[in-house]
Amino acid sequence: MTRRRITIKDVSALAGVSVSTVSRVLNASGPISEETRKVVMQAASDLKYQPNPLARGLVKNQLGGVGVLIPWLGGPYFCSFLEGVQDVVRDTPFRMVISSEQAVKEKEAEALAYLLENDADGVIYYGDSLRPEDIAEINPLGKPVVLLGQPVTDSYPCVAIDDEVGAFLATRYLIDNGHRQIAHLTGDAQQHVTASRLSGYRRALDQAGIPFDPHLIVHADYSEQGGYRGLQHLLGRAVDFTALFCGNDQMAIGAYQALREFNKQIPEDVSVVGFDNISFAQYMHPPLTTVQVPIRSMGRVAAQILIGNIEGQEVFPAPLEAELIIRRSVLRR
Amino acid sequence: MTRRRITIKDVSALAGVSVSTVSRVLNASGPISEETRKVVMQAASDLKYQPNPLARGLVKNQLGGVGVLIPWLGGPYFCSFLEGVQDVVRDTPFRMVISSEQAVKEKEAEALAYLLENDADGVIYYGDSLRPEDIAEINPLGKPVVLLGQPVTDSYPCVAIDDEVGAFLATRYLIDNGHRQIAHLTGDAQQHVTASRLSGYRRALDQAGIPFDPHLIVHADYSEQGGYRGLQHLLGRAVDFTALFCGNDQMAIGAYQALREFNKQIPEDVSVVGFDNISFAQYMHPPLTTVQVPIRSMGRVAAQILIGNIEGQEVFPAPLEAELIIRRSVLRR
DNA sequence: GTGAAAGCGCTAACAG
DNA sequence: CTGTTAGCGCTTTCAC
C-alpha cells in the first residue's frame, strides 16, 4: 500500500476552492469567510491532510530543526538536558536534531556548521571549545544561538547556573562540618566550568581563613573513570585530607571506588560532596551530598529562548539556582 | 551579516554552465565531460556551496530523517542506544530525529505518525506498546521500520539479543554458585522483555530441578525507584532467598538500596545479578555481576538496517550476543 | 554532453 | 473574500 501523500491540491479539489484559499485557512493568513473556512477544514480533516514540511520550509526559508550540540550523548547529565529540550520542542512545529562530538573543537565546528547548513534554524550549544567569535564565523546567516557551559557574554543568550556559588555552598558546607583539609577533584583546567567551581571552592576557603593548598587539587576529565584515576593519584600523594569536593557526580562515583580500594570509609575517613545531582547520586553508598543543577530546566529554558529567537522574539530566561542537596556522604568532625 | 544562502544558480553562473549541468556533476547523474566537471566542482567549492536539503527532499520525496522512538530519553540504557544510532547516522546524509513518550501507547502512536508524516523516511521503534499491526496502520506509505524490544516477526526487521538466554545464563550462574532460593525482580508483566527474561530464569531453575516459586517473583517498572519499592515489598513478604536476579541494572541499583536498609549484606546475605551492564554497574558497591547487552551496537545495527531499507537494500544484521559479566555481587555458598 | 523547461508542494503577492 | 500566478531550490525528463 504505497499510496500517494495527500497534498494541498487534494484538499482544494475536495473543498472546491483554490489552493491559496486552503493555504489561507490552514495558516490563518488573510481573510476567509466563515463558510469556506468550514468547508476547507472539513475537507482537510476528511483527507487527514498534513502539509509537507519540506515544501513549506522551502518557501518560508526555514529548515525546521532546533539543533542541539552537546559533548556527549551517553551519560546521565546531558541526557537529562535533552529531555528538557524535548519537553518544549515537542509542543512546537520544530524537531530536535542532535549532534555530539566529544567536545573536540574541530569536530564541533564542523558539526555546528553542518547543523546550521542542513538541519537547524538555530542551535543550542553546550560546550566551550567554540567561543562566540568562532561561532559567528561558522554562522554567516546569523541564525539564533543559545550557549551553555561558557562564560556569559553579550554575543548570545546564555543559560547557566552560578557554578561559583554552587561550589562555594558545597565547600562551605564541608567547612561548617569541621573540615579544613578539603581536596578538590575537578576536570580539565581549560573548561569554564572547572574554573568557576574552583573559584567558588577557593572563596569558601578564603572566607574561612583556610590557606589554599595546590596539592589538594586534582584535574581529571569529568568521567567516572577520570574520577577514579584522579583520586588514585591524589591518594598516592602524601597529603592528608578529610573531605573531597568533586567537580561533578560522575567523578564522585569513580572517587568512591578509589576510596574503597584504599580502605577509606565514606564518610568516616573522607567526606564527599559532588555536583550535578544526577539520578544515580541518591543511590550511591552512602547517598551522595551534592549540588543540584536543574539540568532539565536548563534544557527547557534554552529551548524556549532559542525558539523565541527563531521566531523573532526576545525571551528572558527565568533565573535558575543551584542548591545543596544534603545526603549522607559528609560527616561532622 | 544576513547574507543570502548560496544556491545552485550561483554555482552555475560562476561555472558558466546551466543548473542542470551543476546538478548532474554534484549528483554524478548523467554523463559529463571531465572538463566541465572540474569547472563546476571548482565553482562549488569556491562558493562553499551546500545544496538545500529541503529543495532536494521536495523533489526526491524524502524527508531526510531517521526517526527514533524510544520510551525514555533520560536514563543510561536508551542514551547508549542513541549513541549507537548516531554512530552510523553521522556518516550519512540523514539526520536523527528523536521522540520519546514514556511507552504510553496512544502517545507513541501519535508520535510515530508525526515522525513518519513530518520528519522521517523510516523509523526505529524501541518498545512494545505498538505491535506490527498498529504500526502498519500508522504507516500507510509503508516506510521502513526497524523494531526492538518486541518478539521477532516477519513484518519488520528486528534487532534483539536473546533475552531468554541471557536470563538463563544469569540464573544458572547463581545456581552454580550454590543458590537455590533465587528471587526475580522484574518489570511490567505485559512487556515482552519481562516475559523472555522470566522464561530464561525458569528454564535454568527447571534444568537444576529447583521448583518455581511465584512468591519469589516481584514485578516493578525497570526504574531505580521501582526496583527499590519492589524489593521492599519482597523483603516484607516472609520468604527466604539467598540470591536475586534483577530484570535490569537500574532495578538492581534500587534493590541494593532496599537491601541495605534491611541490613542485608551484598553478597554475604543476598547475591545479586543484574541485566544490561549500564556504565554504573561497575561502580556499584559491590560491583554488579550482570548480563551485558551490547546496546550501543544494537543502535548501530538498527540504524544500518533502517538506512539500508530506506535506500532499497536488504541488510542482514550481524548477530548480537548477551554475555555474563562477572563482578563481585555474587557469593558462592 | 549540455541546456531549457517542467514540476515537487507550498506560500505570498497581485488582481479582481 | 477568492483565484491566478510566480516563485522557493532542486532534480529530471526532453530536446538539441
Side-chain angles (χ1 to χ4, degrees):
Chain A
M1 67 150 78
T2 305
R3 278 213 316 286
R4 193 177 52 79
R5 189 186 170 118
I6 304 295
T7 77
I8 198 173
K9 268 190 168 172
D10 299 311
V11 179
S12 77
L14 182 66
V17 298
S18 73
V19 295
S20 45
T21 299
V22 176
S23 174
R24 268 189 288 256
V25 345
L26 263 27
N27 296 287
S29 54
I32 288 289
S33 79
E34 188 52 25
E35 181 76 26
T36 53
R37 212 188 66 80
K38 282 206 167 133
V39 177
V40 170
M41 290 305 258
Q42 190 54 247
S45 79
D46 283 358
L47 296 172
K48 296 189 207 304
Y49 168 68
Q50 291 290 123
N52 182 326
L54 261 31
R56 177 176 277 174
L58 182 58
V59 47
K60 290 215 163 175
N61 194 26
Q62 287 198 149
L63 261 10
V66 161
V68 185
L69 181 54
I70 52 179
W72 294 279
L73 221 192
Y77 184 78
F78 289 103
C79 278
S80 298
F81 178 72
L82 292 180
E83 271 193 296
V85 174
Q86 148 141 322
D87 286 342
V88 354
V89 170
R90 195 204 304 273
D91 300 323
T92 73
F94 291 92
R95 67 186 133 263
M96 176 174 74
V97 183
I98 297 166
S99 198
S100 69
E101 298 294 342
Q102 294 91 236
V104 178
K105 181 169 182 175
E106 289 71 28
K107 292 198 165 200
E108 286 198 335
E110 208 179 317
L112 187 59
Y114 188 87
L115 278 175
L116 257 8
E117 195 81 56
N118 297 287
D119 298 329
D121 300 315
V123 169
I124 297 169
Y125 171 52
Y126 202 137
D128 63 356
S129 306
L130 267 21
R131 309 311 311 279
E133 315 83 75
D134 304 313
I135 295 171
E137 205 169 324
I138 292 170
N139 183 20
L141 265 29
K143 294 184 180 180
V145 172
V146 172
L147 261 24
L148 293 96
Q150 42 180 293
V152 173
T153 67
D154 298 333
S155 332
Y156 298 106
C158 299
V159 3
I161 52 131
D162 197 325
D163 287 300
E164 199 271 350
V165 169
F168 174 81
L169 256 28
T171 310
R172 198 185 55 186
Y173 177 71
L174 255 7
I175 294 170
D176 287 348
N177 275 276
H179 295 272
R180 310 221 11 124
Q181 291 144 301
I182 303 172
H184 181 32
L185 172 59
T186 184
D188 180 356
Q190 308 303 317
Q191 287 186 256
H192 174 245
V193 57
T194 302
S196 318
R197 292 182 187 176
L198 182 60
S199 86
Y201 162 84
R202 294 192 63 160
R203 180 160 64 91
L205 254 36
D206 280 356
Q207 192 173 296
I210 302 173
F212 171 73
D213 178 359
H215 297 100
L216 252 17
I217 306 296
V218 213
H219 289 275
D221 70 1
Y222 288 120
S223 72
E224 292 88 349
Q225 186 62 228
Y228 175 68
R229 296 249 175 81
L231 211 74
Q232 280 185 323
H233 211 85
L234 181 66
L235 289 163
R237 312 219 271 248
V239 280
D240 284 335
F241 58 95
T242 64
L244 173 67
F245 167 45
C246 298
N248 75 351
D249 292 347
Q250 284 174 266
M251 287 199 300
I253 291 170
Y256 266 45
Q257 174 109 324
L259 251 8
R260 283 187 201 114
E261 288 183 6
F262 276 73
N263 288 313
K264 302 277 190 190
Q265 299 291 319
I266 308 166
E268 291 75 8
D269 298 320
V270 177
S271 290
V272 182
V273 176
F275 210 115
D276 285 351
N277 195 28
I278 61 176
S279 64
F280 190 60
Q282 65 179 297
Y283 295 102
M284 290 168 69
H285 182 53
L288 182 69
T289 291
T290 191
V291 179
Q292 172 157 45
V293 175
I295 183 64
R296 186 163 176 167
S297 300
M298 288 167 70
R300 288 204 198 95
V301 171
Q304 276 157 353
I305 297 177
L306 187 74
I307 291 175
N309 286 359
I310 291 174
E311 293 176 339
Q313 311 149 19
E314 248 191 292
V315 183
F316 297 94
L320 262 13
E321 303 252 325
E323 180 191 353
L324 187 67
I325 307 289
I326 295 172
R327 290 199 270 248
R328 301 215 306 276
S329 58
V330 174
L331 185 77
R332 163 149 239 123
R333 300 179 65 85
Chain B
M1 62 148 85
T2 305
R3 278 213 317 285
R4 194 176 53 78
R5 188 184 171 119
I6 304 294
T7 77
I8 198 173
K9 268 192 170 171
D10 300 310
V11 180
S12 78
L14 181 66
V17 297
S18 72
V19 295
S20 42
T21 299
V22 175
S23 173
R24 268 189 288 257
V25 344
L26 263 27
N27 296 287
S29 55
I32 287 290
S33 78
E34 187 52 26
E35 181 75 27
T36 52
R37 211 188 67 79
K38 282 203 169 137
V39 178
V40 171
M41 291 306 258
Q42 190 55 249
S45 79
D46 284 357
L47 295 172
K48 296 188 207 302
Y49 169 68
Q50 291 290 124
N52 182 326
L54 259 33
R56 177 175 277 177
L58 183 57
V59 44
K60 291 215 164 174
N61 193 25
Q62 287 198 149
L63 262 10
V66 161
V68 185
L69 180 54
I70 52 178
W72 295 279
L73 222 192
Y77 185 78
F78 290 103
C79 279
S80 297
F81 178 73
L82 292 180
E83 272 194 296
V85 174
Q86 150 143 317
D87 286 342
V88 354
V89 170
R90 193 205 305 274
D91 299 323
T92 72
F94 291 92
R95 67 187 134 261
M96 177 173 74
V97 183
I98 297 166
S99 197
S100 68
E101 297 295 342
Q102 295 91 237
V104 178
K105 180 169 181 174
E106 289 69 29
K107 291 198 166 199
E108 286 198 335
E110 207 179 318
L112 187 59
Y114 188 87
L115 278 175
L116 256 8
E117 195 81 56
N118 297 288
D119 298 329
D121 300 314
V123 169
I124 296 169
Y125 171 51
Y126 202 137
D128 63 357
S129 305
L130 266 20
R131 309 313 309 279
E133 315 83 74
D134 304 313
I135 296 172
E137 205 169 322
I138 292 170
N139 183 21
L141 266 28
K143 295 184 178 180
V145 172
V146 173
L147 259 25
L148 293 96
Q150 43 180 289
V152 173
T153 67
D154 298 332
S155 332
Y156 298 105
C158 298
V159 2
I161 52 132
D162 197 326
D163 287 299
E164 199 272 350
V165 169
F168 174 81
L169 257 27
T171 310
R172 198 185 54 187
Y173 176 71
L174 254 6
I175 294 170
D176 287 349
N177 276 277
H179 296 272
R180 308 212 24 113
Q181 291 145 303
I182 304 172
H184 181 32
L185 172 60
T186 185
D188 180 357
Q190 307 304 316
Q191 286 187 258
H192 173 246
V193 58
T194 302
S196 317
R197 293 181 186 176
L198 182 59
S199 86
Y201 161 84
R202 293 192 62 160
R203 180 160 64 90
L205 254 35
D206 280 357
Q207 192 174 298
I210 302 173
F212 171 73
D213 178 359
H215 296 101
L216 253 19
I217 306 296
V218 213
H219 288 275
D221 71 1
Y222 289 119
S223 71
E224 291 88 349
Q225 186 63 227
Y228 175 68
R229 296 251 175 80
L231 212 74
Q232 280 185 324
H233 212 85
L234 181 66
L235 289 164
R237 314 218 268 248
V239 281
D240 284 335
F241 57 95
T242 64
L244 173 67
F245 167 43
C246 297
N248 75 352
D249 292 348
Q250 284 175 265
M251 287 198 301
I253 290 170
Y256 267 45
Q257 174 109 324
L259 251 8
R260 282 187 201 114
E261 287 183 7
F262 276 74
N263 287 313
K264 302 276 190 190
Q265 297 290 320
I266 309 166
E268 291 76 7
D269 298 320
V270 177
S271 290
V272 181
V273 177
F275 210 114
D276 287 351
N277 194 28
I278 62 176
S279 64
F280 291 142
Q282 64 180 298
Y283 294 103
M284 290 168 69
H285 183 53
L288 183 69
T289 291
T290 191
V291 178
Q292 173 157 44
V293 176
I295 183 62
R296 185 162 175 170
S297 299
M298 289 167 70
R300 289 204 197 96
V301 171
Q304 276 156 353
I305 296 177
L306 186 74
I307 291 176
N309 287 357
I310 291 174
E311 293 175 339
Q313 310 151 19
E314 248 191 289
V315 182
F316 297 96
L320 261 13
E321 303 252 325
E323 180 191 354
L324 188 68
I325 306 289
I326 294 173
R327 290 199 270 248
R328 301 215 305 277
S329 59
V330 173
L331 186 76
R332 163 150 240 125
R333 299 179 67 84

